[in-house]
Amino acid sequence: MDFRLSLEQEAARREYEAFFEEVMKDSPESWFGTMEDMYSSEEGNAFYRRTARKLGERGWLAMSWPREYGGRAASRVDQLLLQEVMGDYGAPGYDVQGLGMLGPTLIRHASEELKKEYLPPIARGEAMVCQGWSEPNAGSDLAALTTRAVEDGDDFVLNGQKTWTTGARFADFIYVVARTDLEQPRHKGLSYFVLNIAETKGITIRPILSMAGRYLWSEVYFDDARIPKRNLVGEKNKGWGVVLSGMEHERSSLGGWILECKHNLRNLVKFCNETRWNGEALAKKPTVRYRLAQMGVEVQVGLSTQYRLAALADQGTLPMHEASAAKIFATQLYTRFSEMAIDILSQYGAVTQGSKWAPFSGKFEFLYQTAPGWELAAGSTEIQKNIIAQWGLEFPRP
Amino acid sequence: MNIQLTEEQEMLRSSARGFVDKECPTTLVRQIEDSESGYSPELWKKMAALGWMGLAIPGEYEGTGGSFLDLVLLIEEMGRGCLSGPFLSTVAVAAMAIAAAGTERQKQELLPQIARGEKILTLALTEPGGGWDADSIRISANAMNDYYVISGTKLFVEDVSITDYVLCVARTNNDDGSENGITVFLLNTASLGLKYSSFNTIGGTQQYEVVFDSVVVPATNIIGEPDNGRTVVRHMLDWGAIAKCAEMIGAARQVVDMTVAHAKERIAYERPIASFQVVQHLCVDMLTYVDTSRNITYEAAWRLSEELPCAQQVAAAKAWTNEAYVRITKMGTHLHGAIGFTRDHDIGLYYRRAKAAQLAFGDSDYHLEVMARELGL
């Protein structure tokens, strides 16, 4: 066992720090440094795009991918290290849906032609990706989805509605699961497609406003949208297996929440040391010390878990249930953090962005409304617990 | 970065597991709990024969030169079977301190005897009204020529009645409570003026009040430097806390296994309760508490082994594992139903020991305060 980073990794860390130090000088005023910023405003998305391209030029985005698709065949630990520094600076650039989910899924299941077409633009930070899985009546129970894809000549014709599609309004590519066979049992009639949104006719994207009033998610409608057959990922009717392997990648590449908490904790500690209420520094209040220290403990535990996951993935021995457990831990910590921050900031913590009385520009007021959503996204806490129960403890399906 | 165990470590782990299963059933654990001495000399000898006491002692002192991390893996397996006794204080705390800070003479005299299982040591740190911080060290050691005279009272000292030596942390300077002026002494338990009396604790182990009534100790028995013992004390607390974490994660995993097995066997509403989602999800929470505790404990143990800065990791490991293990035993007991609250059922053994372990080598409040300072508060 050896948790040490190599000399090269330590050097890379310093290089990343210098890079993000420079990048953040250019951040827009509304930038919170959260995972949502790249999806929730034009200027936020533009900042993400600028940064992603710079990262792409340096070969830092798709590091762990094979070289022929724009990667560097680096380890997942290398990748996490970059994400950690990114998190330390609250900087954008990592599109988890492209780099963490679609990319690894294509590498494993797609034809050479599709890989060549879709992977390099993601690796260069030029293409942004969204996920067309959930539907109005299929969320946790994804296999209940009803969007149809019917073969017609060289194409599939797609009809149906997807929803809660994070970042759809800015995305270039979407990956979709649709029903290709009504006769088969429901898990066996599904197929997995990837497509270029601008090049496909019959797609309509409508906004859904989040509780905090942001346009994060969309409804995506397919009306006789034609997709070339070559855009099928894996075989027809075998989409469920592709979905499952994508889920594994997703859960294990979601270190971002923990890293964001680490960043927020450092800033909150600074704030509490410098801010005096009733003539006393906030940091002197026992309840404040207790809350922050508890977060310090949980962030350390979360970090050690993330690095373990990355190392296991590098060895090719990441058990599915450990990735699920890490997803639960990270999202619950993320939610607890926003609650804790507002509790410390008291009434100031409830002031929204734009007021001089809003500490951290209202970041935690915003997070309090968005963080709990991540406990649902990418497989809800309860779905993850079912997975752990079955795979980690060999319980029967309930 | 590589998180795999070496082949030797895997072997150590599986042979330890086999030994604990065979030689230390919970019936024996309970006998030991009820005994006057609080340990089993026969079991101690068998463990020594396997080389456990010398695992982290350097080869030149008859040990096998393993790392602290090796020790942690071993203690995890001992924790699984509630095999405690004076191993932790003797091997993971005292022997480590002597090897790291002792004089050549101290090492040559004591380490081989510890490795052979012939000497048992304990740590006397906390005092009435005090905690684990330097400023709570009040008992005095006054220099007189080549000797020191120690007077005062220590509390929560484990296993004194069976020990050969006590590592006593005393104040040799600066009565204002500063970190400077603390010295670690190696005292023969049979010293004139050293008296002790026992009390029982929730964990089923005996702890002692130890009164030092002008106990005379030669200056050559100082571990480390006089007035400058704070580094040794800090290390002993780190080793102790992480060894305790290892014991807790081993025990916690056993509680998960016992509970899952129970849930798969216990029938209610004509089916095993393991088929109910609420039961499954409680067990999942238990498993996650174990796994996260193990991750941070291994990382802290590795940093200790490599002598890297580790204050945050140690504080995080102990504070987190404390709460995790206690919650695991609460959920485990709950899922066992009323039988879990009987004296006879093993789950209660773990439930009681979890609470005791939580309070040893720094309770959660102590480690949270360490974390607060480390964060810069």
Side-chain angles (χ1 to χ4, degrees):
Chain A
M1 205 177 290
D2 186 352
F3 292 82
R4 204 184 314 260
L5 296 176
S6 67
L7 288 176
E8 292 77 20
Q9 285 167 328
E10 290 292 356
R13 183 199 284 272
R14 287 188 292 274
E15 211 181 330
Y16 301 151
E17 283 169 352
F19 173 82
F20 287 114
E21 185 80 46
E22 200 55 38
V23 158
M24 290 311 284
K25 289 180 184 161
D26 185 29
S27 65
E29 212 162 298
S30 65
W31 188 259
F32 279 138
T34 75
M35 219 178 285
E36 288 84 358
D37 289 315
M38 62 183 274
Y39 304 119
S40 64
S41 73
E42 297 279 353
E43 56 180 5
N45 189 255
F47 181 43
Y48 153 76
R49 294 241 180 204
R50 289 198 295 279
T51 311
R53 282 206 180 87
K54 287 181 201 164
L55 287 162
E57 279 165 22
R58 286 162 177 77
W60 290 351
L61 280 183
M63 274 188 223
S64 56
W65 295 4
R67 292 177 194 281
E68 59 266 41
Y69 310 121
R72 311 204 311 195
S75 70
R76 292 285 286 271
V77 171
D78 288 317
Q79 182 83 55
L80 183 58
L81 183 62
L82 172 81
Q83 282 179 268
E84 185 179 348
V85 179
M86 196 182 265
D88 282 345
Y89 284 86
Y94 190 83
D95 171 18
V96 67
Q97 301 188 88
L99 295 160
M101 279 211 74
L102 178 63
T105 303
L106 292 182
I107 290 168
R108 197 147 145 197
H109 298 281
S111 67
E112 199 52 39
E113 190 186 1
L114 274 188
K115 289 184 201 175
K116 289 263 158 63
E117 183 179 345
Y118 282 89
L119 292 172
I122 300 173
R124 289 195 299 268
E126 289 166 8
M128 215 179 120
V129 176
C130 67
Q131 179 189 71
W133 284 7
S134 290
E135 297 183 4
N137 293 310
S140 288
D141 182 14
L142 184 61
L145 63 87
T146 56
T147 293
R148 292 287 323 270
V150 178
E151 279 186 89
D152 182 34
D154 292 335
D155 299 329
F156 280 92
V157 179
L158 206 59
N159 278 290
Q161 184 200 340
K162 296 291 176 181
T163 192
W164 316 124
T165 315
T166 304
R169 65 162 161 163
F170 295 118
D172 303 283
F173 305 153
I174 184 169
Y175 52 100
V176 176
V177 190
R179 193 161 297 285
T180 38
D181 195 333
L182 291 174
E183 307 300 313
Q184 299 285 340
R186 51 188 218 142
H187 289 90
K188 293 185 175 168
L190 301 174
S191 299
Y192 191 115
F193 301 93
V194 61
L195 52 107
N196 186 316
I197 295 172
E199 289 171 6
T200 310
K201 286 196 184 107
I203 299 181
T204 311
I205 293 171
R206 291 193 189 147
I208 305 173
L209 288 192
S210 73
M211 194 193 291
R214 303 280 181 122
Y215 177 9
L216 284 176
W217 314 297
S218 303
E219 295 177 313
V220 179
Y221 292 86
F222 298 98
D223 297 296
D224 289 330
R226 296 192 85 86
I227 322 170
K229 275 190 179 161
R230 59 179 200 87
N231 285 33
L232 189 61
V233 180
E235 288 174 49
K236 185 186 163 190
N237 291 344
K238 298 226 169 128
W240 189 249
V242 185
V243 166
L244 290 181
S245 85
M247 283 176 175
E248 257 177 79
H249 281 292
E250 181 178 45
R251 282 169 207 141
S252 64
S253 63
L254 291 173
W257 294 301
I258 303 279
L259 307 173
E260 224 182 285
C261 288
K262 182 179 168 221
H263 166 80
N264 290 340
L265 180 62
R266 201 181 48 212
N267 289 338
L268 208 53
V269 164
K270 187 165 179 280
F271 179 88
C272 291
N273 278 333
E274 290 168 357
T275 306
R276 297 173 78 83
W277 287 352
N278 294 328
E280 191 188 52
L282 266 177
K284 295 272 182 216
K285 273 176 75 177
T287 50
V288 169
R289 291 178 82 75
Y290 174 81
R291 290 179 210 267
L292 290 171
Q294 184 61 39
M295 279 300 146
V297 166
E298 295 183 28
V299 166
Q300 278 291 343
V301 172
L303 276 175
S304 75
T305 303
Q306 288 301 330
Y307 274 97
R308 173 181 161 80
L309 242 55
L312 284 172
D314 282 335
Q315 291 169 23
T317 55
L318 175 61
M320 181 142 64
H321 72 273
E322 283 205 34
S324 289
K327 195 267 174 180
I328 297 175
F329 185 90
T331 50
Q332 291 186 337
L333 175 58
Y334 195 53
T335 299
R336 273 201 301 280
F337 196 102
S338 65
E339 292 166 2
M340 180 268 318
I342 292 190
D343 289 345
I344 286 178
L345 300 171
S346 186
Q347 295 191 85
Y348 300 92
V351 182
T352 56
Q353 193 170 36
S355 165
K356 67 172 180 176
W357 295 110
F360 303 98
S361 310
K363 178 179 192 168
F364 297 108
E365 181 268 346
F366 169 70
L367 276 182
Y368 185 74
Q369 296 168 75
T370 48
W374 292 110
E375 292 176 56
L376 297 172
S380 69
T381 299
E382 289 68 27
I383 293 293
Q384 308 294 351
K385 285 188 181 180
N386 286 347
I387 292 170
I388 301 166
Q390 283 149 40
W391 296 90
L393 292 171
E394 294 168 1
F395 275 127
R397 275 175 172 275
Chain B
M1 192 178 151
N2 165 23
I3 55 161
Q4 269 172 320
L5 298 181
T6 63
E7 214 170 298
E8 290 79 14
Q9 286 169 332
E10 293 285 5
M11 272 167 57
L12 170 70
R13 170 181 272 187
S14 67
S15 78
R17 180 167 300 194
F19 177 84
V20 173
D21 283 349
K22 183 162 162 274
E23 302 289 346
C24 186
T26 48
T27 45
L28 178 64
V29 172
R30 288 164 186 280
Q31 276 172 27
I32 293 172
E33 262 198 2
D34 294 338
S35 72
E36 188 82 357
S37 66
Y39 96 120
S40 156
E42 297 76 35
L43 193 60
W44 188 262
K45 276 184 200 120
K46 288 179 192 167
M47 287 155 63
L50 290 172
W52 287 8
M53 279 67 169
L55 182 61
I57 291 176
E60 62 261 46
Y61 307 109
E62 296 185 32
T64 45
S67 66
F68 182 72
L69 182 61
D70 296 332
L71 207 48
V72 154
L73 297 171
L74 173 62
I75 293 171
E76 185 181 346
E77 292 308 322
M78 294 170 62
R80 233 181 126 86
C82 281
L83 200 180
S84 48
F87 187 85
L88 215 143
S89 58
T90 302
V91 178
V93 177
M96 291 292 296
I98 293 164
T103 61
E104 194 50 43
R105 214 185 112 203
Q106 289 165 346
K107 290 193 233 182
Q108 281 181 2
E109 192 182 321
L110 285 163
L111 293 178
Q113 295 192 73
I114 293 174
R116 292 195 296 264
E118 293 165 5
K119 292 284 182 247
I120 295 174
L121 288 80
T122 192
L123 173 66
L125 178 66
T126 48
E127 299 179 17
W132 296 273
D133 287 303
D135 62 1
S136 35
I137 305 300
R138 300 284 167 181
I139 93 167
S140 64
N142 296 319
M144 288 180 72
N145 303 323
D146 292 339
Y147 292 85
Y148 284 80
V149 180
I150 301 180
S151 291
T153 302
K154 291 284 186 186
L155 261 188
F156 310 118
V157 183
E158 296 203 319
D159 305 310
V160 172
S161 68
I162 52 165
T163 58
D164 302 282
Y165 294 98
V166 177
L167 286 182
C168 176
V169 183
R171 189 159 285 286
T172 39
N173 225 327
N174 295 333
D175 291 338
D176 60 357
S178 87
E179 274 212 311
N180 296 316
I182 293 172
T183 305
V184 181
F185 292 94
L186 179 76
L187 293 180
N188 195 313
T189 312
S191 299
L192 206 62
L194 192 157
K195 295 193 191 76
Y196 49 81
S197 55
S198 75
F199 43 87
N200 291 322
T201 66
I202 188 168
T205 58
Q206 282 182 351
Q207 293 185 6
Y208 293 81
E209 173 198 282
V210 182
V211 178
F212 300 85
D213 183 7
S214 300
V215 175
V216 178
V217 52
T220 48
N221 276 28
I222 289 172
I223 306 284
E225 292 168 45
D227 288 348
N228 220 349
R230 65 174 194 274
T231 323
V232 186
V233 172
R234 216 179 285 152
H235 277 130
M236 288 196 290
L237 274 174
D238 286 347
W239 290 317
I242 295 304
K244 200 41 106 171
C245 285
E247 186 185 299
M248 288 194 277
I249 55 181
R253 180 66 217 215
Q254 178 66 9
V255 172
V256 175
D257 291 349
M258 284 164 65
T259 306
V260 168
H262 172 78
K264 287 175 179 174
E265 279 163 21
R266 172 76 181 170
I267 305 290
Y269 303 100
E270 298 169 344
R271 72 192 94 166
I273 62 169
S275 64
F276 298 121
Q277 214 167 20
V278 278
V279 171
Q280 293 192 356
H281 286 193
L282 275 175
C283 292
V284 164
D285 290 343
M286 293 165 71
L287 178 68
T288 304
Y289 275 129
V290 180
D291 286 345
T292 46
S293 299
R294 189 187 292 108
N295 294 346
I296 187 69
T297 296
Y298 282 2
E299 188 181 341
W302 174 80
R303 295 188 79 91
L304 273 170
S305 296
E306 298 291 315
E307 295 174 28
L308 294 166
C310 59
Q312 281 206 35
Q313 285 82 1
V314 171
K318 188 63 170 51
W320 180 257
T321 308
N322 278 349
E323 301 315 305
Y325 183 29
V326 163
R327 284 179 205 171
I328 286 165
T329 53
K330 280 183 185 164
M331 290 189 272
T333 312
H334 181 77
L335 285 169
H336 272 79
I339 190 83
F341 286 87
T342 58
R343 190 72 183 176
D344 284 346
H345 199 287
D346 282 344
I347 195 91
L349 190 61
Y350 289 86
Y351 182 89
R352 290 187 285 112
R353 293 209 171 189
K355 198 65 201 169
Q358 184 189 37
L359 307 174
F361 295 104
D363 58 20
S364 298
D365 282 3
Y366 169 80
H367 286 288
L368 284 171
E369 183 51 33
V370 173
M371 178 58 84
R373 288 198 295 261
E374 284 295 312
L375 290 174
L377 284 165

